[in-house]
């Protein structure tokens, strides 16, 4: 696995409790090396996981860089601070990367601070009860250490079914919480407190905003180049996943001139609609890199998609499983150390399909200043400026909505009112504009991406566009600049206009896998029906079984994409069955 660690905590009992000694012995047999030992905390890491001892204050596990992209590997590169909170603040303001900070407090016996990086590159789950438990990269380590036994959290599973697009601290396993990206956890005796250490709202204030699209494009380009090249120097050999769209192409363009060995891979399907070879080949040619074209087959069955070990929440669907298998095989074939993906690009490049950018412009610049944005909005969506104006006015008058829409299809009717659980980034200020709300809600939803791509458990999955420096640079760009000239993601296009092939630079859309997913459903729907109606979700009373039966047994109406919902239910069912 890419990163593996476990911290065993006992903030109330005497040191060297019997269960801690036994757990350490088991971890030693797994070749996990001990890199920190204090009175109340012992940390073990795998041989491939880097770490830095911080002046006797604790550990930084993972990869961390300065804001110029310099790798930080020695404790001498970090100042000394009087408190854990000061050190955490310094790291957030002056560093970035995929890391976890573990800081036992020498001044307060039994107090431990843990900080997870804002991009979520370092996985982190925890189970802490009465001051005792663990913090770990994956659930397999505490299982092997004898510190946890798996149990399903059915309330969390119901929440996952109804609100699949948002990640909260609860996982699908009872007693297991996830430390969300950018969050600081303080354990003091038996008390646990959580703090939002990094929030996208901190970069959406007027004084931090870019004043011109030229300044914005330069800042975005600088951030992406720095992040991509820092990871490329670290990993040295890369499998670049090319979708043919703008986002992965930008990542490829940022690799131009890198010393890393780059291999490319793109996917096609036997069903029309997702063949992006023409565009992917152009980026591979730009990099002078070999490219594999892999066809996703329809022969995959429902029962061959065992979820990756260590995932505490069901996220990997059938499409993701097929993609994951192909990409991992390609990585092994080329001997690449990591995957590079453009995942999250739509979000950070502010690909909003509503009138929110014009509403933001009106709020912050008045009617005169918003006129140009109204014209851009009308051109982007091929409508009249009057219609764009009406939609903008409606957006301004409408009260803030929910961060995500509830999905109650095929859920037992008595359970459909499951309330959305809290995500700290959804705590918006009263002055938040419509576009900024939509941007931050979408950014919170990207936290599920890594769970949906478990190949990142075998080798590093780099998502440069979701790195902290790129998030901060793009958040500082007002939403209306992103549709300048009636082009979506306009700032990113301008930032890489001199590197991207003209055809890719001018693209407004890309292929879709919806036809392939529909073909998968059509091939497997009879087995899908049996799998769901004979499964755990049904036995727990979570499914509306008659509705499932009726839909699968009937002919699929034209353009009806409800089959995707059933495949998502299958993913959850599949994960549950593999936990036992």
């Amino acid at each position: 696995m890419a990163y593996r660690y476990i911290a065993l905590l006992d903030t109330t009992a005497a040191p060297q409790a019997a269960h801690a000694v036994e757990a350490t012995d088991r971890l030693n047999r797994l070749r996990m090396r001990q890199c920190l030992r204090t009175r109340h905390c012992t940390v073990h890491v795998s041989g491939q996981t880097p770490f830095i001892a911080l002046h006797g204050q604790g550990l930084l596990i993972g990869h961390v860089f300065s804001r110029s992209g310099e790798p930080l590997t020695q404790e001498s590169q970090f100042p000394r601070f009087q408190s854990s909170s000061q050190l955490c603040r310094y790291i957030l303001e002056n560093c970035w990367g995929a890391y976890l900070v573990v800081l036992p407090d020498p001044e307060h016996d039994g107090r431990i601070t843990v900080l997870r990086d804002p991009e979520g590159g370092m996985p982190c789950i925890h189970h802490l009860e009465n001051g005792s438990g663990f913090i770990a990269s994956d659930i397999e380590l505490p299982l092997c250490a004898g510190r946890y036994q798996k149990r399903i959290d059915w309330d969390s599973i119901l929440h996952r079914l109804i609100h699949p697009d948002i990640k909260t601290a609860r996982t699908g396993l009872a007693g297991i919480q996830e430390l969300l990206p950018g969050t600081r956890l303080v354990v003091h005796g038996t008390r646990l407190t959580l703090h939002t250490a990094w929030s996208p709202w901190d970069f959406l204030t007027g004084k931090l905003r870019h004043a011109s699209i030229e300044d914005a494009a330069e800042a975005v380009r600088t951030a992406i180049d720095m992040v991509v090249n820092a990871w490329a120097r670290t990993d040295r050999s890369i499998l670049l996943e090319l979708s043919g769209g703008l986002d992965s192409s930008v990542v490829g363009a940022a690799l131009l001139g890198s010393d890393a060995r780059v291999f490319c891979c793109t996917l096609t399907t036997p069903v029309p609609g997702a063949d992006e070879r023409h565009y992917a080949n152009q980026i591979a040619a730009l990099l002078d890199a070999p490219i594999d074209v892999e066809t996703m087959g329809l022969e995959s069955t429902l029962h061959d998609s065992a979820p990756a070990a260590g995932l505490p929440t069901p996220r990997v669907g059938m499409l993701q499983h097929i993609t994951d298998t192909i990409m991992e095989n390609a990585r092994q074939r080329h001997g690449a150390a990591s995957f590079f993906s453009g995942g999250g690009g739509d979000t950070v490049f502010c690909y909003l399909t509503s009138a929110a950018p014009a509403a933001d412009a009106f709020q912050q610049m008045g009617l005169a200043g918003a006129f140009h944005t109204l014209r851009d909005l009308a051109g982007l969506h091929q409508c009249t400026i009057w219609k764009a104006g009406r939609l903008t006015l409606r957006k301004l008058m409408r009260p803030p909505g929910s961060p995500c829409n509830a999905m109650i299809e095929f859920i037992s009717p008595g359970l459909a009112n499951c309330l959305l659980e809290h995500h700290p980034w959804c705590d918006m200020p009263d002055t938040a504009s419509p576009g900024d709300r939509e941007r931050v809600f979408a950014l919170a939803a990207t936290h599920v991406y890594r769970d949906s791509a478990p190949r990142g458990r075998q080798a590093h999955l780099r998502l440069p566009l979701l790195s902290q420096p790129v998030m901060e640079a793009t958040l500082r760009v007002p939403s209306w600049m992103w549709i300048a000239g009636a082009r979506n993601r306009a700032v990113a296009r301008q930032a890489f206009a001199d590197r991207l092939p003209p055809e890719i630079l001018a693209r407004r859309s890309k292929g879709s896998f919806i036809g392939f997913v529909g073909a998968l459903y059509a091939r497997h729907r009879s087995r899908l029906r049996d799998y769901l109606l004979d499964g755990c979700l049904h036995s727990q009373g979570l499914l509306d079984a008659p509705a499932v039966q009726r839909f699968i047994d009937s002919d699929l109406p034209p353009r009806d994409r409800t089959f995707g919902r059933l495949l998502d239910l299958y993913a959850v069912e599949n994960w549950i069955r593999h936990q036992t």
Side-chain angles (χ1 to χ4, degrees):
M1 290 187 179
Y3 296 112
R4 297 199 84 187
Y5 67 87
I6 183 170
L8 303 175
L9 276 61
D10 198 333
T11 59
T12 58
Q16 293 298 308
H19 60 82
V21 174
E22 181 183 358
T24 296
D25 290 341
R26 294 184 179 187
L27 292 168
N28 289 340
R29 289 195 290 271
L30 292 176
R31 297 184 179 178
M32 300 288 291
R33 54 177 171 161
Q34 187 179 112
C35 58
L36 176 69
R37 180 179 175 184
T38 69
R39 176 180 171 84
H40 299 293
C41 178
T42 304
V43 182
H44 302 257
V45 300
S46 66
Q48 298 78 31
T49 302
F51 67 91
I52 306 169
L54 295 172
H55 302 296
Q57 291 179 274
L59 286 176
L60 192 154
I61 305 170
H63 291 286
V64 65
F65 305 90
S66 71
R67 288 303 177 114
S68 64
E70 177 189 4
L72 304 178
T73 59
Q74 304 293 329
E75 67 174 345
S76 60
Q77 294 172 294
F78 295 87
R80 291 179 179 270
F81 290 95
Q82 294 297 317
S83 69
S84 298
S85 60
Q86 288 176 329
L87 177 56
C88 289
R89 178 51 51 193
Y90 174 85
I91 291 172
L92 287 170
E93 293 179 352
N94 297 277
C95 310
W96 65 275
Y99 62 81
L100 188 84
V101 182
V102 182
L103 302 173
D105 192 334
E107 301 298 325
H108 299 86
D109 192 32
R111 177 170 174 168
I112 299 168
T113 298
V114 181
L115 172 69
R116 187 182 181 191
D117 66 88
E119 60 194 80
M122 177 64 74
C124 183
I125 58 173
H126 61 89
H127 170 74
L128 297 164
E129 189 174 10
N130 297 323
S132 178
F134 59 82
I135 299 168
S137 57
D138 58 89
I139 197 62
E140 297 302 308
L141 288 176
L143 287 173
C144 292
R147 298 297 292 266
Y148 181 73
Q149 291 185 338
K150 281 187 179 180
R151 292 180 294 114
I152 303 297
D153 182 343
W154 292 105
D155 289 339
S156 180
I157 293 296
L158 177 63
H159 186 274
R160 159 69 180 83
L161 294 175
I162 296 179
H163 304 287
D165 297 327
I166 195 75
K167 174 183 278 194
T168 65
R170 285 178 70 178
T171 71
L173 297 174
I176 301 296
Q177 300 278 310
E178 178 169 357
L179 187 63
L180 294 176
T183 301
R184 179 164 55 93
L185 169 68
V186 178
V187 185
H188 194 181
T190 60
R191 299 194 307 274
L192 304 178
T193 54
L194 292 169
H195 307 269
T196 302
W198 185 96
S199 170
W201 293 108
D202 295 336
F203 304 91
L204 292 167
T205 61
K207 63 181 180 180
L208 295 175
R209 290 292 175 92
H210 296 296
S212 69
I213 192 170
E214 291 78 17
D215 290 344
E218 180 61 28
V220 169
R221 175 184 173 122
T222 299
I224 293 173
D225 277 345
M226 184 273 292
V227 168
V228 167
N229 283 281
W231 281 130
R233 288 191 298 269
T234 299
D235 296 336
R236 305 301 302 166
S237 60
I238 295 160
L239 181 69
L240 174 61
E241 303 175 4
L242 289 172
S243 68
L246 180 68
D247 306 330
S248 63
S249 298
V250 163
V251 174
L255 281 167
L256 191 62
S258 167
D259 291 334
R261 293 184 303 131
V262 179
F263 309 95
C264 302
C265 187
T266 190
L267 303 177
T268 65
T269 71
V271 178
D275 191 342
E276 295 286 292
R277 281 177 289 183
H278 174 68
Y279 301 99
N281 284 336
Q282 293 182 52
I283 297 299
L286 181 71
L287 296 171
D288 192 24
I291 183 169
D292 294 350
V293 179
E294 299 288 342
T295 300
M296 304 173 71
L298 292 170
E299 66 278 358
S300 297
T301 64
L302 292 174
H303 300 291
D304 66 2
S305 54
L311 294 177
T313 302
R315 293 287 179 195
V316 184
M318 185 183 291
L319 179 63
Q320 290 87 354
H321 172 74
I322 298 171
T323 301
D324 194 81
T325 301
I326 292 174
M327 290 298 180
E328 174 59 19
N329 288 340
R331 184 193 69 80
Q332 292 186 15
R333 186 163 59 248
H334 292 293
S338 66
F339 304 95
F340 270 44
S341 168
D346 282 353
T347 300
V348 295
F349 294 156
C350 198
Y351 185 36
L352 301 180
T353 57
S354 70
D360 286 6
F362 180 83
Q363 277 191 347
Q364 298 175 38
M365 297 189 298
L367 181 58
F371 180 76
H372 291 293
T373 303
L374 278 175
R375 189 171 57 190
D376 290 335
L377 184 68
L380 180 64
H381 294 287
Q382 298 294 295
C383 67
T384 67
I385 197 168
W386 302 109
K387 181 176 181 180
R390 288 196 304 272
L391 293 173
T392 300
L393 183 61
R394 185 184 303 172
K395 178 67 70 173
L396 286 166
M397 297 177 64
R398 184 173 296 170
S402 171
C404 62
N405 296 320
M407 299 182 66
I408 61 174
E409 295 87 353
F410 307 119
I411 299 299
S412 180
L415 302 174
N417 61 348
C418 174
L419 296 178
L420 178 64
E421 292 183 5
H422 177 258
H423 188 290
W425 291 3
C426 296
D427 289 337
M428 58 185 177
D430 295 336
T431 57
S433 64
D436 287 344
R437 287 197 300 265
E438 292 184 18
R439 296 170 70 182
V440 173
F441 291 167
L443 198 59
T446 63
H447 287 170
V448 306
Y449 285 9
R450 293 184 187 275
D451 294 349
S452 302
R455 57 187 174 278
R457 301 256 167 179
Q458 304 302 318
H460 298 292
L461 173 63
R462 309 301 187 196
L463 300 173
L465 302 183
L466 288 175
S467 67
Q468 182 182 346
V470 175
M471 285 193 293
E472 293 175 0
T474 54
L475 286 166
R476 289 186 172 113
V477 181
S479 61
W480 62 85
M481 286 187 187
W482 291 102
I483 63 168
R487 301 180 301 166
N488 60 46
R489 296 169 285 183
V491 177
R493 295 179 194 275
Q494 181 161 330
F496 288 89
D498 61 336
R499 295 192 212 170
L500 290 173
E503 280 190 279
I504 293 176
L505 192 64
R507 290 196 81 186
R508 302 294 183 94
S509 61
K510 68 176 182 179
S512 169
F513 285 93
I514 190 65
F516 176 72
V517 175
L520 279 175
Y521 167 79
R523 169 168 288 207
H524 300 297
R525 67 177 187 171
S526 61
R527 295 186 68 185
L528 176 66
R529 177 193 57 221
D530 296 340
Y531 196 73
L532 289 175
L533 297 183
D534 293 339
C536 302
L537 294 175
H538 184 206
S539 66
Q540 289 290 322
L542 303 185
L543 291 187
D544 184 348
V548 172
Q549 181 90 41
R550 284 193 303 270
F551 184 87
I552 294 180
D553 289 346
S554 63
D555 293 331
L556 188 66
R559 294 182 294 278
D560 189 330
R561 298 183 178 184
T562 310
F563 57 81
R565 172 64 168 166
L566 285 171
L567 291 175
D568 185 55
L569 296 177
Y570 153 74
V572 178
E573 175 70 32
N574 185 53
W575 178 87
I576 292 169
R577 293 192 186 192
H578 281 86
Q579 301 315 302
T580 55

